[in-house]
Every structure is written in structure tokens, then in C-alpha cells.
Amino acid sequence: MKIILRGQIPSGKNQQQIAFVRGRLVKFPNRRFKAWREAALLQFLPQARGIYTLVRPCVLRVAYWPGDRIRRDVSGMLDALFHLLERGRLVENDCLIEHVVWRRMALDRTAPRVEMELEEVTDGAVIGCPSTACPAPSPPARPTNAP
């Protein structure tokens, strides 16, 4: 499945607030991140209509076209996308995304965007992925009983 989001991606890491609620420390997204998330969901949900929620390990391929020359943290943008995929119910839990391929494309001031493809991993291999790009994991080595 392929999802295209128009606009700049914020960092999911730097958009959290912390508060004490009933004696407990609670983290929640700030207004700016919530606004982006809701706008992104409006773009993404029509594209995801009819697609079932992934409940098995999967690979996420991302192509990112920045809209400016500001250097952004890839792990922060991935965090935002992971939250979005889980919030939009494309994945049951973002921990199921076990492999990520991130490509930064050329600057595009007129149409910054991100294109994502999400695929399930079956039988230890990624469907439709060449073996050199996404090799199946090797089985764990058996321990030897050395004297």
C-alpha cells in the first residue's frame, strides 16, 4: 500500500509536553503536532480506505522530499510517521514496523511530501523486496556445549 502526504513532516520527538495529572507524569503531543497529525490523517485516511490493519511485522519504505534546507532529524520524522500510521490504524502497533528504508530526495520547495509504502513480512522475508535490499533474518546460532 502506498500513502502520500503533502507538506513538511514535524519531529514527533520534539513535540511532546509533560504534565502531572493526579500525581502521575503524563506525556501528550503539543498543539502544533496535533494540528499536523489531524491534517495528515485527513490526507491519509481516504488513501487507506479498504486497507486492513497490519498485525504482523512489516517494512516501511519512505521517500521524503523536503520543502526547505532546514536539517531535520530523520528519527524524529519517523517517530511522527509511526504515530500517524498507528493512529490511522494502518498498523496495530508501531512496534510491528521492524525494517525502515528512508530515502531523502531532492529539495522541492513547491511540493514537499513524503511517500510511504508499507508491506508485511511473511516467512522471514519481505514480500516484493529483492533479497539484497531486505534479506530474511538468519536463524539464531545453536549454542555448542563445549567442555
Side-chain angles (χ1 to χ4, degrees), residues 3-65:
I3 304 289
I4 299 172
L5 297 175
R6 309 257 178 234
Q8 185 58 56
I9 310 166
S11 173
K13 291 181 176 182
N14 302 327
Q15 304 296 327
Q16 291 189 2
Q17 293 179 316
I18 301 172
F20 279 102
V21 178
R22 296 184 186 131
R24 295 180 66 196
L25 190 64
V26 178
K27 292 182 184 180
F28 58 94
N30 67 18
R31 279 190 205 151
R32 180 174 171 249
F33 185 79
K34 277 178 155 177
W36 171 81
R37 183 181 64 195
E38 297 310 312
L41 280 171
L42 289 175
Q43 290 182 54
F44 149 154
L45 290 176
Q47 297 176 63
R49 187 168 284 130
I51 298 172
Y52 59 93
T53 302
L54 296 175
V55 295
R56 294 174 47 181
C58 52
V59 62
L60 175 66
R61 291 180 192 85
V62 180
Y64 164 65
W65 284 264

Side-chain angles (χ1 to χ4, degrees), residues 31-135:
R31 279 190 205 151
R32 180 174 171 249
F33 185 79
K34 277 178 155 177
W36 171 81
R37 183 181 64 195
E38 297 310 312
L41 280 171
L42 289 175
Q43 290 182 54
F44 149 154
L45 290 176
Q47 297 176 63
R49 187 168 284 130
I51 298 172
Y52 59 93
T53 302
L54 296 175
V55 295
R56 294 174 47 181
C58 52
V59 62
L60 175 66
R61 291 180 192 85
V62 180
Y64 164 65
W65 284 264
D68 54 33
R69 295 199 183 276
I70 295 173
R71 292 171 50 182
R72 290 181 174 83
D73 184 22
V74 172
S75 65
M77 289 187 288
L78 277 173
D79 189 52
L81 293 174
F82 279 26
H83 286 300
L84 188 67
L85 291 169
E86 188 172 0
R87 180 82 169 205
R89 297 195 171 125
L90 275 185
V91 292
E92 184 177 77
N93 189 317
D94 60 10
C95 73
L96 292 170
I97 302 170
E98 293 184 350
H99 185 74
V100 176
V101 178
W102 179 275
R103 293 184 339 189
R104 185 176 194 271
M105 310 305 276
L107 177 69
D108 190 344
R109 292 186 190 276
T110 59
R113 66 194 176 280
V114 64
E115 295 181 5
M116 299 179 283
E117 289 186 59
L118 199 58
E119 284 186 73
E120 280 188 347
V121 176
T122 59
D123 300 328
V126 177
I127 300 170
C129 190
S131 60
T132 56
C134 307

